[in-house]
Amino acid sequence: MTKKTMPVKKEVNGLNGNSNLWSYGFQDLNIFSPASLPASLPASFLASLPAPIPNAPYFDLRIYREPMIKSLIKVHSKDMYRLLEEVHFDGNYYRVKCVSSGEWEYCWDLAVRIQFFGKMLGMTLYPKRLVSQKEKRIVYRSMILVNPYQLWDEALVNKFWNLQERVEFLIARILFHECIHVMISLGNILPSGFGNTDIYLEFRKMLEVSVSENLSHELHNVQFRLWNLVLFGYSGSESEKKLLERVQEIYEFLINEKYTNQKTGKAFRFPSNNKKIARKYSWIAAVKAGGDKQVSKRVWQVEVRRLRIALRELFEGIDTELSNIGFTMK
């Protein structure tokens, strides 16, 4: 069942409005455009954006065709196409999935917004959890922000001279990346079996291989570096259990990003190698760990470099193990 969602009813009596940034997306140099941001973004993110450039030209993104973008995505994932089929890219929430388990109904609402907003190509905010005791319904709300600012990237220009086609290809590629994060989240949050798409199952296989006995050395090396970085960002109030949970959360985030970048690169023929992924996401992982509260910035940076090396070795090991068992992405 797919329909545009209605405003939250008054009987909703449980709300966790603290959306988290799951995907930091593809980070690159900024070319800012003065389009306004949705009010739901965290204040800390808004504060980090650069100031508008005076008299900067405004590019109207409305030249893209939603059906064309969706058809580009459908070629590579029918599950993702079904997720997006009735979602319009207007920033409004649409109901994309509902399943029943026992007395409760679990629903997923998705919003997609396309606009220039800073130096990230894409970002996923999720999930805001709405609970209605009266209706026995739990609704998870996700928003995907797509920022196709790399329209004049040399490789894209050479591939698509037509601006409309270039915009549509770039939006489809970014949206594909961010939807992978949403689909993995669906699989993790919905009752067992209800979120099992090909994408989710592929990711779980990669995660399973990453903690296999054959990769125990590489795994422990990455976890050791993550533990050090979590201690460097320790605020003094967390228990050891909470710190270990953070290490596991960041570890799964890193495997998630490896899978997402690899899957998107294969689908759109813009491959991202393990060295590049490790370099980009080792820094993000270090920031997620808490920063350098307990040590000097130099010590923190050294540990980030060590994590990058360990992460690349793990990623290479994962590829080797998957190849050995004959696993290939669809």
Side-chain angles (χ1 to χ4, degrees), residues 42-259:
S44 58
F45 174 75
L46 293 172
S48 69
L49 292 177
I53 299 173
N55 303 316
Y58 175 71
F59 179 78
D60 190 348
L61 278 170
R62 288 176 295 180
I63 64 170
Y64 69 79
R65 297 161 293 180
E66 278 188 17
M68 181 58 67
I69 293 170
K70 290 174 181 176
S71 67
L72 288 171
I73 287 172
K74 186 178 183 180
V75 171
H76 305 294
S77 173
K78 290 182 173 59
D79 286 330
M80 190 180 294
Y81 174 76
R82 283 191 288 269
L83 189 74
L84 291 169
E85 189 173 6
E86 300 299 328
V87 176
H88 297 298
F89 306 157
D90 54 11
N92 294 318
Y93 284 98
Y94 296 85
R95 184 139 303 164
V96 297
K97 193 175 185 68
C98 273
V99 298
S100 296
S101 180
E103 296 181 349
W104 285 84
E105 184 180 34
Y106 298 82
C107 296
W108 199 280
D109 294 352
L110 179 64
V112 175
R113 184 161 184 161
I114 299 173
Q115 63 182 76
F116 293 123
F117 64 85
K119 61 182 180 179
M120 296 181 188
L121 282 172
M123 181 171 63
T124 305
L125 293 102
Y126 72 89
K128 185 176 289 185
R129 186 169 179 263
L130 310 171
V131 180
S132 173
Q133 292 287 350
K134 181 178 179 180
E135 296 184 350
K136 296 292 183 181
R137 179 183 295 145
I138 299 175
V139 178
Y140 298 96
R141 286 191 159 185
S142 305
M143 174 174 280
I144 293 175
L145 299 173
V146 176
N147 177 27
Y149 74 84
Q150 285 189 327
L151 290 173
W152 289 272
D153 175 80
E154 184 178 357
L156 273 177
V157 172
N158 290 336
K159 188 177 180 68
F160 299 102
W161 284 96
N162 182 282
L163 183 58
Q164 184 181 48
E165 292 179 359
R166 198 186 317 155
V167 169
E168 290 166 350
F169 178 86
L170 185 54
I171 290 173
R173 192 178 75 185
I174 299 168
L175 188 55
F176 190 90
H177 178 108
E178 299 305 326
C179 277
I180 291 176
H181 292 307
V182 171
M183 294 174 78
I184 291 172
S185 180
L186 272 173
N188 285 334
I189 291 177
L190 290 181
S192 179
F194 289 115
N196 285 358
T197 60
D198 287 342
I199 282 174
Y200 176 70
L201 295 174
E202 283 184 348
F203 164 70
R204 294 304 302 182
K205 186 63 180 178
M206 182 177 286
L207 185 62
E208 177 186 320
V209 166
S210 78
V211 296
S212 64
E213 186 176 350
N214 289 345
L215 294 178
S216 59
H217 173 74
E218 291 86 349
L219 168 67
H220 293 150
N221 199 7
V222 169
Q223 289 179 329
F224 177 70
R225 299 303 169 195
L226 288 175
W227 174 251
N228 286 345
L229 288 165
V230 166
L231 289 180
F232 292 168
Y234 176 60
S235 66
S237 58
E238 301 98 331
S239 65
E240 182 176 341
K241 181 181 177 181
K242 286 292 184 183
L243 295 179
L244 288 170
E245 287 175 353
R246 189 180 303 165
V247 168
Q248 181 57 34
E249 177 187 337
I250 297 172
Y251 179 79
E252 187 165 326
F253 159 78
L254 290 168
I255 303 302
N256 188 316
E257 289 296 351
K258 172 179 168 49
Y259 172 77

